[in-house]
Structures are given as structure tokens and as C-alpha cells.
Amino acid sequence: MSFGYVAPHGGTPIPGANPKGYMLGPDDGTHTWFEQALITFKAKAADTGGVLSFFRCDVPQGWQAPVHRHAGESELFFITEGRWEIFVNDTVHEARAGSTVWIPANTKHSIYVTSRTGQGHCVITPGGFEKFFEDTGEPATVPSMPTHQTRQPTVDELLEVGRQMGWILEEPEPRRLGR
């Protein structure tokens, strides 16, 4: 089945994945360290005919994304662990285990993790944005959060790769509760 979509930014397929359908085990997928977090990809544009990307984030306290928006992608987050402050629709929400957050394309949003660690799952549609993490992070050598300082992309690099992906910076800091 073809969806007539070619991921605009490429991305590497996950071993064992197939756009005609696949199943990955709990430890399968590809892993990227990004800003001291572990991103575990379970589906990428190359694996889904461009329909979506899906990944798990294991993040440390203070992990954040500034206020930004995606020109072409929508995001759905499901938080499974920790406390996250997620700004969307002009409101900062406290998301905790079991919370779901929908962020339509072109909607300003930000993230800040307040608990010691956090875990969440994210669907991005259409697929392809995983290339941002692949280009600015580094391949994880083990499937766990890093215990060492990982590659730290410069602000200019993040902005340039983001620009190529349709990622638009709105404010340099995340919106926070009570601030």
C-alpha cells in the first residue's frame, strides 16, 4: 500500500521494520541520545510510508524544549512517568503518568520536566521529524539514558537543522507553571 508520501527529510529505517507491517519487541528499535535523554524510535517515516513517527523519551529532570512550533507536523504525547510542564494553547499544563497532550501543527508549545526522571511516548504525523534528533543527537551505544555528557549541539546548529525541518523557535525558554 502506498500513501503517496515520501519523507521529505529521509531518516534511517529501523532494522526489522517494514512499511507493509511489522512488530518490534520491547528492546527493538533504534536509540539516540539527545540533550542527555534517550530517544527510542519504534517507527520512523521510512518504516511507515511517511504516515508517522513514534518514539519513547526517557528524560532527566530539567529536560526541556523552548517555545516552538512545527509548520507541518502534529504531535501526540502520552506521559507514562514523572511530572512534565507542557505549554500548549496558551496554558501550561502539569502532565503526569496517564496524561495525553495533543499539539496540532503550527501550535506554539514547550516542555519542561520537573520530576527526577520522566518517560513519555510521542506520535508525530506526518513522519520525518525524527531526522532532527538523528542529526543533532548521537547514536546511543546502550539502550539507556546516558551516564556521561553526550554531544551538545550548538544553538546555531539546532536552529539551522530545525529550520530545515520546519521547526520555528518562538521563545528561547519553555513556559513554566507559576512563572
Side-chain angles (χ1 to χ4, degrees):
M1 173 186 262
S2 173
F3 294 96
Y5 178 88
V6 175
H9 307 290
T12 59
I14 295 171
N18 182 332
K20 294 180 181 179
Y22 65 92
M23 196 282 299
L24 297 177
D27 298 323
D28 296 336
T30 60
H31 310 283
T32 298
W33 285 322
F34 175 77
E35 298 282 332
Q36 295 305 114
L38 175 69
I39 309 293
T40 300
F41 295 101
K42 296 294 193 169
K44 297 180 182 181
D47 309 317
T48 66
V51 173
L52 61 84
S53 300
F54 176 66
F55 56 90
R56 183 183 74 221
C57 303
D58 292 280
V59 297
Q61 184 175 38
W63 193 78
Q64 60 186 293
V67 178
H68 67 283
R69 59 190 168 91
H70 303 262
E73 295 89 11
S74 297
E75 297 175 89
L76 179 72
F77 281 94
F78 180 72
I79 305 304
T80 55
E81 181 184 306
R83 288 180 315 282
W84 303 49
E85 294 179 1
I86 300 180
F87 167 70
V88 64
N89 269 344
D90 296 323
T91 303
V92 179
H93 305 272
E94 182 178 48
R96 46 189 165 63
S99 297
T100 301
V101 181
W102 168 244
I103 305 166
N106 261 323
T107 300
K108 291 193 295 188
H109 60 286
S110 68
I111 298 170
Y112 189 88
V113 176
T114 61
S115 54
R116 189 177 66 75
T117 60
Q119 184 180 86
H121 295 78
C122 183
V123 175
I124 299 180
T125 183
F129 196 76
E130 66 273 6
K131 186 97 167 71
F132 176 83
F133 299 110
E134 292 174 335
D135 286 356
T136 59
E138 70 178 87
T141 57
V142 294
S144 64
M145 287 177 54
T147 57
H148 64 286
Q149 184 65 42
T150 60
R151 178 181 185 278
Q152 294 297 301
T154 66
V155 171
D156 288 342
E157 181 182 8
L158 290 168
L159 290 172
E160 176 56 24
V161 173
R163 183 193 62 72
Q164 293 170 14
M165 301 294 303
W167 183 91
I168 300 126
L169 178 68
E170 296 285 341
E171 300 170 25
E173 298 293 325
R175 297 265 182 101
R176 303 283 315 277
L177 283 171
R179 294 183 188 188

